[in-house]
C-alpha cells in the first residue's frame, strides 16, 4: 500500500517540429498554388536525382544500417518531445522516498506505473531484483553511452544529407541546362526546359533547409535533453540500489540539472 | 539618516541599436522611393514565405517557447543598454560603506532607491532579511547562470534565423522563376514576374544582414556586460551579507572589472 | 589437437560504398539518357581539364607518391569493409584461451587460419617465435601508427581533390565562356558552346560531391574502425606473449570497444 | 653628464599600408579611366547605401563610441609602424645601464629624449619619482591590457564591416534589379539601370576586400608588435625601479623577443 | 683516416611541384589553343588589376619585406624537396660514430662533405671549435625557431593572396560589366566586352587555385619536413658536443622520427 503517488507520464508529440514542418511546407504549397499551375513543380526524374542521389551519397559516406537507423531515430527522438527534467527528478525522488519508507521490495507495486519510461523501468526492475547499485549504474551508463553515440551518428548523417542535397540539386540543374542549350532551335521550349532544370535546385534547397538541417538541430537538442533525463533515472536507480538517503539523491540530481530546472522535493 | 548618497540609476535605451536599425532601414527606404514605385517592393506572399518560413524552420530547430522567449529577450536586453560597470561598482561600494558604518539594518532605508536594479534589490533585500552571505551568493549565482543560459539560447535562435532567412529567400525566388519560365508566352510579363521573384531574395538578405545578425551580435555583447554588472551586484550583496570590510570588496570588484573600468572609491 | 574452434574470417566488400557509387552514377546516367542526346555530355578536353587539373594541383600540394598511395588506400580501405570488432575480440579471446590451455606453441596449428587477418597473423607469428610480449606490442604499435598516418594523409589528399575539382570546373567554364563571347557572330553556335562550357562545372561538381568527398568520409570512418580492430589484435598478441590470464584480456578489450560492441566471452 | 647616448626615435609612417592602399585604388581608377566614362562609376545613392548601411549595421552590433574609436585606432596604429623591437630593447638597456652607473635620479636628464615613446616616458617618470618597481609594473601592465583590449575590439569592428559591406552591396543591387525589371518597356534604359544596380555590389566588394579586411589584418599585426614593444618598456621600467642588474634585464628581454630579434648589448 | 664513409647529399628539385605547375598550366593552355584565338585570353589591364591588386592588398596586410621574403621562401623551400629524414639520421649517426671512435677533432676532415647541408655544417663546425653541447643546442634551436616562424609568415602571405586574388577578379569583372552595360548601343561589342570582363575572374581563379593555394599547402608540408630534418641535425650536433654514446643518439632520433622513417643503424 503505497502512500506515495507516483505520477504516470507519457512523452508527447514534439509540437514545434510538427508545426514547423507543416507550416513551412504549407507556405511553400500556398505560394505554388497562388502562382498558377502546381503541376509544373512536380517532376519525377528531378525528385529521383535529388532524393535518390542524396541518399546514395550519404550511404557511401556511412553504411546502409547507419542511414536506416537514422530514420528510426528521427521518428523516435525528433517527433516526440521529452518530459520536463524537473518532473523526471520529482518522480525519481518519489520512488526513492517510497523505497526508503517501505523497503525496496515495495517498488514491485509501482513498477507498472513506470512502464512509460523504459529506461527508468529497466533500472528499477534491476533494483527490485536485488542487483547491487554499482552494477545497476554500470549497466545503465553503458546503455546511455550507446544511445548517445547512435544519436551523434544520426545527427552527422542528417548534416551530411543537408550538405549534399543542394549539391545534387546543382548537378541536376547543370544536366538540364546542358540539355536545353543543345536544343536552342525551338525557342518556345527554352522556358519550360529551364523551369524543369531549376526544379532540382529548388528540391535541393527545400530538402536541405526545411528538412535535414532543422531535423539535425532538433535531434541534437532532444538528444541532449533525453541524455539528461536518463542520467536522472540512472542516478536515481543507482542511489535506490545503494539504499542511500533520498535527500542526498536530491542534492546529486540538482548538481546536474540546469539552474532553472532544479527541484526542491524535501521541505 | 544615511550620510552616504546612493545614486539612483535607470538603464537607458541602447541608442546605437535603435539608431542603426532606423538609419539602415531609412537608407533602404530612400533608395526605394528615389527609384520610383515603392509599391513594387511590397508583396504579401513573398513576405509570408520569408518571414513565415524562417519562423517555421527556427521553431522546428528549437521549441515554440524558446523562440517566443527570444522576442522578449530582444526587447529587454538588446534595446536597453546596461549601466556603466564602474558606476555599478561605485554604487555597490556606497551601499557597503553605509552598511559598515550604520549596520546592515540601515539598508532598509535605501532599498527603495535600488529598485531600478532588480537584481541588486533582490540581493539587498535578502541581506536585510538576515539571509547569510553564502546563501545570498548561491541563490544569486543560480539566477545569474539561468539568465546567461537563456541569453545564449536566444543568441543561437537569432543566429539560426540569420542563417535560414536567405535560404527561404532563395527558395521563394526559385518558385517565382519556375512559374515565370513556364509562362514565357507573353514577354511583357517577364520583367514584373522576375521582379517579384527577386523580392524574396531581397527580403531574406535584409532580414539576415540588417536584423537577425546584428541583433545576435548585440545580444551577445549586452548579455556579457549585464552578466558582469550582475556579478558586481552579486559580489557586493554577498560581501555585505558576510559583513566584510568594503575595502576588501573594492579589491575583489577590481579583479573582475576590465582594466579601463576599475574603480578607486576609498582614498 | 585444438578443442577451441578459431573462426576463419575474410573482410567483405563494403556494399554501401559500391552501392552508393553505382546508384548515384546510375541516376545521373538515367537523367542524361532520358533527356535525349547523351553524347553532348562527353567532351574530352573538359574531362582533361577537370580530372587532369585536379590531379596536377593535388600533386603540387603533396608529392607524387602520396597521391599514388591514395589510390591504393581507396582500393584497400574504402571498398572493403572491416570485420565486426566484437567478432575480432571473440577470435582473439579464443586464441588466448587455446594458448592458456595448451601452451603458446600449440598456436602453431592455428596460425594458418589467421592468414586472412595479416596484422593478427604477424603478431601471433612473433609470439610463437618466442618474441617477448613487450617487444610484440612495440613493433605492432609502430605498424599501427604508420598505417593511421598514411590513412590520414590519404584522407587529406581526397579532401583537397574535393576542394579543387569544382575550382577547375569553374576555370574550364570561364575559358569556354570567354571563347564563346568572342564569337557571337553566329547565334546558332551560342547554345552548344555554352553547353560545352558548362560541362566542366558539371564534371567538377560530380567529382567533388559524388566521388572525392564521400570517399574521404568513408576512408576516415573505415580507417577508425580498422585501427580499433588492429588495436584488439595488438592487445591480444601482447597479452598472449605476456602469458596473461585471458579473462584480464577480455576486460582490457572491453575498455576500448564501443559500448554496443563489448563482448562477454567467459561465462 | 650622461656618458650613455640614448637614441632618440620616432615611429614612422607604415609605408606598406599607404603604398598598398594607394596602388590598389590607383589600379582600380586606371581601369575605370581606360574603359571610358568614369562618371558612370559614381552614384551618390549607391555610395550612401553601402557606406551608410555598413556603418549603420556595425553601429547596431557594437556601440557608437566603439565604432568611432576604431577610426582613431586605424589612424594611430595602422598607418604608423612601430619601432624595431631590438632597437627598443637596446634603448631600454642603455637607460638601465645609465641608471646603474649614475643612479636613478640621473635619468631626469634623459627623460626628454624619451618623449617620442609616451609609454616608456610615463614609466621612467614614475621610476624617477620614486614609485616602487612593483607598482610601476602593475600600473603599466593595466595600461597595456586596456590598449590590447581596445585594439581587439577595433579589429572585430573592422571584421564585421568587411562582412556586412558586400551584404549591403547585394541588397543595393537587388533594389536596383527589382526597379529595372518593373520598367522593361523602354529597352534602352535596361543597360544603364543594370550598370547602376551593379555599382553597389562593386562598392561593397572594394570596401570589404581593399579597405576593411586588410586594415583589420594590419591592425592585428601592428597591435601585436606594439604590445611586444610596450612589454619591453614595461619590463625595463620595472627592472630599473627594482634597481636590478641590467644584465639580468637583458636576459629577461631576450626571453620575450622573437628569435630573430634577440639582442646582445653587454659584451 | 676516416673508416666511416659519410654520404654526401644534395637536396633535389621538388618534382611534384614543378610537374603539377607545368601540367596544370599546360592543360589550361591546351584548352585555350584548341578553342581558337589565344590572344583573346591576354589583356594587360586585367592582368594588372588581378596581380597588381592582390599584391597591393597583401602588402597592406603585412609589410613589404615580408611579402618579398615570401618569394625567396617559395624558391628555396617549395621547389626544392628535402632529404629523406631516415637518410639524414643515418648520416648524423655516421658522424657521431666517427667522433666516438677517433675523437671530435677528426670531424675536421669530414666538415667539407657536410657543406651541402648548411645547418648540419654550422653545428658541426661549432662542435669542432669546442663549443659545449648545451650552447650548440641553444644556438641551433634559436635558428630553427626563427626559420619556422619565417615559413609560417610566408604561408599566411600565400593564404591571404589565395583569398584576395578571386576578390580582385570579381572587382575587375564588375568594372568591365558596368562599362559594358553603359554602352549597349552597339550590340556587336557586347560579346567581346563581356569576354574581357570575365578575364579578371578567370585570372583570379587560376592564381588562387593553381598557384597560391597549392604553394601554401606545399610550403607548409616542406617546412614541417625541413624542421624535422634540422631537428635531427640539431640533436646530432648537441649529442656529439656532449660526447654521448651514439647508441643513445639513435634512440633519441627514433623518438622524433615518424614511425615509417625510424632507423636502425647499430646492429
Amino acid at each position: 500500500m503505497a502512500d506515495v503517488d507516483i505520477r504516470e507520464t507519457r512523452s508527447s508529440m514534439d509540437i514545434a517540429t510538427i508545426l514547423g514542418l507543416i507550416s513551412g511546407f504549407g507556405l511553400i504549397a500556398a505560394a505554388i498554388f497562388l502562382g498558377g499551375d502546381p503541376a509544373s513543380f512536380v517532376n519525377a526524374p528531378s525528385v529521383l536525382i535529388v532524393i535518390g542521389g542524396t541518399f546514395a551519397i550519404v550511404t557511401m559516406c556511412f553504411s546502409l544500417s547507419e542511414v536506416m537507423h537514422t530514420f528510426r531515430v528521427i521518428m523516435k527522438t525528433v517527433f516526440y518531445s521529452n518530459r520536463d527534467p524537473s518532473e523526471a527528478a520529482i518522480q525519481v525522488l518519489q520512488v526513492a522516498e517510497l523505497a526508503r519508507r517501505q523497503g525496496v521490495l515495495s517498488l514491485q507495486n509501482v513498477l507498472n506505473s513506470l512502464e512509460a519510461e523504459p529506461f527508468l523501468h529497466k533500472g528499477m526492475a534491476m533494483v527490485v531484483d536485488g542487483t547491487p547499485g554499482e552494477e545497476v549504474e554500470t549497466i545503465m551508463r553503458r546503455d546511455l553511452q550507446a544511445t548517445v553515440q547512435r544519436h551523434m551518428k544520426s545527427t552527422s548523417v542528417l548534416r551530411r544529407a543537408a550538405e549534399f542535397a543542394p549539391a545534387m540539386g546543382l548537378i541536376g540543374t547543370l544536366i538540364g541546362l546542358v540539355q536545353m542549350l543543345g536544343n536552342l532551335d525551338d525557342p518556345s521550349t527554352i522556358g519550360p526546359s529551364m523551369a524543369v532544370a531549376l526544379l532540382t535546385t529548388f528540391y535541393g534547397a527545400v530538402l536541405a533547409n526545411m528538412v535535414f538541417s532543422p531535423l539535425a538541430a532538433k535531434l541534437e537538442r532532444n538528444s541532449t535533453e533525453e541524455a539528461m533525463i536518463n542520467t536522472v533515472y540512472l542516478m536515481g536507480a543507482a542511489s535506490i540500489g545503494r539504499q542511500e538517503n533520498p535527500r542526498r539523491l536530491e542534492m546529486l540530481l540538482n548538481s546536474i540539472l540546469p539552474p532553472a530546472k532544479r527541484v526542491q522535493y524535501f521541505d
Side-chain angles (χ1 to χ4, degrees), chain A:
Chain A
M1 176 219 67
D3 62 338
V4 182
D5 176 43
I6 311 293
R7 291 193 223 161
E8 204 165 321
T9 57
R10 194 164 293 278
S11 45
S12 56
M13 289 287 285
D14 185 333
I15 299 180
T17 314
I18 304 288
L19 217 86
L21 210 55
I22 290 177
S23 61
F25 274 91
L27 283 165
I28 299 294
I32 287 175
F33 275 91
L34 280 175
D37 184 20
S40 65
F41 281 88
V42 183
N43 183 268
S46 303
V47 172
L48 259 177
I49 281 196
V50 177
I51 297 191
T54 305
F55 186 81
I57 298 179
V58 173
T59 306
M60 268 182 84
C61 293
F62 298 91
S63 72
L64 209 61
S65 71
E66 283 164 353
V67 175
M68 283 313 172
H69 186 256
T70 301
F71 285 102
R72 281 199 301 279
V73 166
I74 291 171
M75 283 308 155
K76 262 182 56 187
T77 309
V78 174
F79 285 111
Y80 283 88
S81 68
N82 296 298
R83 313 175 48 185
D84 186 39
S86 306
E87 250 184 67
I90 294 283
Q91 191 186 26
V92 161
L93 288 170
Q94 287 172 335
V95 177
E97 201 187 1
L98 181 67
R100 183 80 171 172
R101 287 209 217 148
Q102 307 182 357
V104 162
L105 289 183
S106 69
L107 296 181
Q108 190 74 51
N109 307 316
V110 297
L111 263 186
N112 286 343
S113 63
L114 302 176
E115 264 175 355
E117 298 292 335
F119 194 70
L120 177 58
H121 183 265
K122 182 183 167 188
M124 286 307 160
M126 283 193 289
V127 169
V128 169
D129 288 354
T131 320
E134 283 68 31
E135 207 179 318
V136 171
E137 186 163 357
T138 307
I139 294 172
M140 289 180 86
R141 194 168 293 284
R142 193 173 288 182
D143 265 33
L144 188 59
Q145 282 176 3
T147 306
V148 167
Q149 277 196 355
R150 275 199 305 269
H151 287 186
M152 273 169 57
K153 184 65 90 179
S154 296
T155 308
S156 59
V157 167
L158 284 167
R159 290 253 157 77
R160 285 265 165 203
E163 195 186 320
F164 284 117
M168 288 313 300
L170 171 69
I171 289 173
T173 296
L174 285 168
I175 294 179
L177 284 179
V178 170
Q179 287 171 341
M180 181 203 78
L181 289 164
N183 284 308
L184 281 185
D185 311 329
D186 180 2
S188 74
T189 65
I190 295 179
S193 305
M194 188 113 173
V196 171
L198 279 182
L199 276 185
T200 53
T201 295
F202 172 66
Y203 293 157
V206 167
L207 273 181
N209 291 296
M210 300 181 66
V211 181
F212 296 137
S213 213
L215 285 187
K218 191 52 155 284
L219 173 52
E220 203 166 34
R221 182 186 170 285
N222 283 5
S223 173
T224 311
E225 224 171 62
E226 189 186 318
M228 201 176 60
I229 288 171
N230 283 352
T231 306
V232 166
Y233 292 154
L234 182 163
M235 288 169 84
S239 170
I240 296 171
R242 280 193 304 263
Q243 311 206 346
E244 285 178 358
N245 190 325
R247 283 167 197 270
R248 192 175 132 68
L249 174 59
E250 188 189 57
M251 229 176 59
L252 276 175
L253 293 181
N254 277 335
S255 72
I256 62 149
L257 288 170
K261 294 290 182 189
R262 284 177 191 138
V263 294
Q264 190 143 19
Y265 180 69
F266 296 104
D267 50 89

